[in-house]
């Protein structure tokens, strides 16, 4: 297997050389299943501890950010979420948390800046992908609004540009990233930065989901 596959699935070890016994001939099905169970348990334990760590270290920041977001919504603000790749899917999920809140809670205006393929491809083609989010914020953003950018590395150039543009407008800015925060941690244009301390993209994204769900619940509850 490749190194990447080995890191994701350490319980699968296939022969790479001609004549080398296959995994099936070397290991019984029961042994493989036992390894799968162990690997799954280890991953679950890892993300649970990571979420506990985020709660311990950033719970006060989460509460403050949720309050600030609720205040913006109460003033008629809107939320704009953005990210690349898997983070763009998380941005869309975040927007959905406000548009379709739990029963009894008011829906709040929220948009994912990657949702319109025509806009994304037009801006990427005509002005460059580095400006695909900042150009939309320049056109749509207001001082009462909220900008939330998600990145596992914190180094995406188009997110950095978007945060700078949002701050220029006067928007509340929220960054959700991984590791040590990357280049996002160096910005003065982010009001609230949440960094998930892990080198695993998978664990970072799982913990980020918890962070933005908590922020959504706090915001909606604060407005209600």
């Amino acid at each position: 297997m490749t190194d990447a596959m080995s890191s994701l699935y350490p319980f699968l070890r296939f022969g790479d050389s001609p004549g080398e016994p296959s995994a099936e001939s070397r290991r019984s099905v029961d042994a493989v299943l036992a390894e799968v169970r162990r690997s799954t348990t280890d991953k679950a334990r890892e993300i649970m501890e990571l979420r506990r760590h985020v709660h311990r270290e950033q719970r006060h920041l989460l509460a403050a950010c949720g309050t600030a977001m609720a205040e913006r919504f109460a003033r008629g603000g809107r939320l704009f979420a953005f990210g690349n790749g898997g983070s763009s899917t998380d941005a869309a999920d975040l927007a959905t948390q406000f548009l379709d809140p739990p029963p009894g809670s008011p829906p709040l205006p929220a948009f994912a800046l990657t949702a319109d393929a025509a806009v994304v491809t037009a801006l990427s083609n005509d002005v460059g992908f580095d400006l695909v989010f900042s150009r939309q914020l320049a056109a749509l953003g207001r001082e009462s609004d909220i900008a939330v950018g998600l990145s596992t590395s914190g180094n995406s150039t188009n997110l950095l540009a978007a945060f700078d543009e949002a701050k220029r407008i006067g928007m509340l800015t929220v960054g959700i990233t991984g590791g040590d925060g990357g280049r996002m941690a160096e910005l003065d244009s982010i009001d609230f930065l949440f960094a998930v301390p892990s080198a695993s993209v998978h664990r970072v994204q799982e913990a980020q989901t918890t962070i933005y769900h908590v922020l959504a619940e706090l915001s909606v509850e604060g407005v209600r």
Side-chain angles (χ1 to χ4, degrees):
M1 287 192 296
T2 64
D3 291 341
M5 289 291 288
S6 296
S7 65
L8 287 173
Y9 306 104
F11 47 83
L12 298 178
R13 301 184 181 89
F14 295 94
D16 295 320
S17 304
E20 184 180 347
S22 67
E24 289 80 7
S25 64
R26 295 199 315 268
R27 312 179 67 195
S28 69
V29 172
D30 288 344
V32 171
L33 291 177
E35 288 282 3
V36 171
R37 286 192 292 270
R38 181 193 60 77
S39 178
T40 301
T41 300
D42 288 347
K43 288 181 173 66
R45 186 179 297 112
E46 183 181 354
I47 184 55
M48 287 172 65
E49 177 52 37
L50 191 57
R51 284 170 170 150
R52 292 189 189 101
H53 176 86
V54 169
H55 176 261
R56 287 194 305 269
E57 301 298 324
Q58 304 184 46
R59 64 183 185 278
H60 298 301
L61 191 65
L62 281 165
C65 184
T67 298
M69 291 171 65
E71 291 173 351
R72 294 289 178 126
F73 280 121
R75 289 161 46 191
R78 304 159 299 166
L79 182 143
F80 296 94
F82 45 92
N84 299 296
S87 296
S88 71
T89 303
D90 287 335
D93 181 40
L94 173 57
T96 303
Q97 303 307 309
F98 294 98
L99 294 170
D100 185 25
S105 300
L108 299 171
F111 308 89
L113 296 184
T114 53
D116 192 327
V119 171
V120 171
T121 54
L123 291 175
S124 298
N125 184 66
D126 296 340
V127 301
F129 192 62
D130 287 351
L131 302 178
V132 70
F133 301 133
S134 60
R135 181 62 67 91
Q136 293 184 71
L137 292 178
L140 302 172
R142 300 187 302 230
E143 186 177 356
S144 58
D145 293 335
I146 306 162
V148 182
L150 300 101
S151 168
T152 56
S153 69
N155 296 320
S156 301
T157 302
N158 53 14
L159 265 73
L160 303 178
F163 282 122
D164 287 343
E165 178 61 28
K167 179 54 64 176
R168 185 193 66 79
I169 295 169
M171 300 171 69
L172 178 70
T173 53
V174 182
I176 304 176
T177 184
D180 61 1
R183 293 171 63 193
M184 283 169 57
E186 302 171 2
L187 293 181
D188 295 328
S189 53
I190 298 181
D191 297 314
F192 294 94
L193 180 66
F194 300 92
V196 178
S198 174
S200 168
V201 172
H202 307 88
R203 303 295 86 76
V204 166
Q205 289 186 311
E206 289 165 352
Q208 286 181 334
T209 301
T210 302
I211 289 172
Y212 70 70
H213 275 257
V214 169
L215 290 176
E217 291 180 14
L218 292 173
S219 301
V220 172
E221 183 63 28
V223 173
R224 185 172 59 181

